[in-house]
Amino acid sequence: LTIKSYVFKIEKIKPEDRKKYPPWYGDYLAKKTDQHKDYKVPYFNKAKPTKTISLPSAYIVLPFQKNVLDNLKQHGIAVEMIRKPVKLPVQVFNISKVETAKRLYQGNVAVKLEGKYEEKTMDIPAGAYYVSMKQPLARLIPVLLEPLSGDGLAHWGFFNRLLVSQWTGRPRAYPVY
């Protein structure tokens, strides 16, 4: 592809101006000049999965995760509250490792999880949320809710408070079944 743009001049941020910019800007600024330039960039039109999984008929998001719920709704995903406690067979992702990025990206610290799924019968509390895969945006739901998704809510830090036990420092089960 050809992107029509400008020539950019790289300038080091002066020490006296450093406080004007957030830390993720780094040490340099790219400033646009008046000179036009065409940039040739590769066009990646064929995504190849690095990992595939079998999708469930629904996801259960444990209670007290307003930020997660709000994000799902902002994406147009239908979510239903579970009003009474219920015991269900589910897949639980047991986290074995939580790794955080060394640098901020778009104001967030990226999170990478490792672990494995386990079939269990769990007590689902009232106030949890049911996210059916039988809806128009079903292909988006696993991208957002799967623990290993490279662009999911876990990666963007939405579950950070719940991933590691405050008292032991050990990883917990992922809060979405």
Side-chain angles (χ1 to χ4, degrees):
L1 292 175
T2 300
I3 297 178
K4 297 192 171 290
S5 186
Y6 295 89
V7 172
F8 289 86
K9 183 171 68 173
I10 304 300
E11 291 181 2
K12 187 163 178 62
I13 296 175
K14 296 175 188 163
E16 60 269 19
D17 292 337
R18 181 72 246 172
K19 288 184 180 178
K20 293 180 186 175
Y21 302 100
W24 59 85
Y25 264 58
D27 296 327
Y28 297 90
L29 294 174
K31 294 205 171 182
K32 179 182 84 142
T33 66
D34 292 334
Q35 183 181 350
H36 291 270
K37 181 176 178 181
D38 291 346
Y39 291 89
K40 300 273 187 205
V41 296
Y43 177 53
F44 298 105
N45 63 344
K46 296 207 173 111
K48 292 182 183 174
T50 55
K51 185 174 185 169
T52 60
I53 59 168
S54 298
L55 295 177
S57 58
Y59 288 86
I60 294 173
V61 179
L62 294 179
F64 309 113
Q65 297 182 74
K66 183 178 179 339
N67 61 340
V68 172
L69 264 277
D70 290 347
N71 190 281
L72 293 172
K73 289 176 183 177
Q74 286 170 355
H75 277 90
I77 294 170
V79 176
E80 299 174 58
M81 182 187 276
I82 298 172
R83 304 230 179 256
K84 294 180 182 176
V86 62
K87 192 181 263 300
L88 291 174
V90 295
Q91 277 191 337
V92 177
F93 185 79
N94 292 313
I95 301 169
S96 58
K97 184 178 176 184
V98 177
E99 187 178 319
T100 56
K102 305 291 183 248
R103 298 184 68 181
L104 289 174
Y105 177 71
Q106 295 183 359
N108 294 291
V109 177
V111 177
K112 183 179 176 187
L113 302 176
E114 292 180 18
K116 52 185 168 175
Y117 291 95
E118 177 184 3
E119 302 277 338
K120 277 185 169 180
T121 298
M122 299 289 289
D123 291 316
I124 308 301
Y129 291 87
Y130 180 82
V131 184
S132 173
M133 288 292 285
K134 293 182 179 175
Q135 56 180 298
L137 294 173
R139 294 176 77 109
L140 177 59
I141 296 167
V143 172
L144 295 172
L145 292 179
E146 281 294 327
L148 302 177
S149 172
D151 205 20
L153 298 181
H155 175 81
W156 285 99
F158 279 72
F159 299 104
N160 284 1
R161 296 184 308 110
L162 304 170
L163 298 179
V164 176
S165 170
Q166 177 180 348
W167 309 112
T168 66
R170 287 192 216 115
R172 296 180 171 173
Y174 186 64
V176 176
Y177 302 149

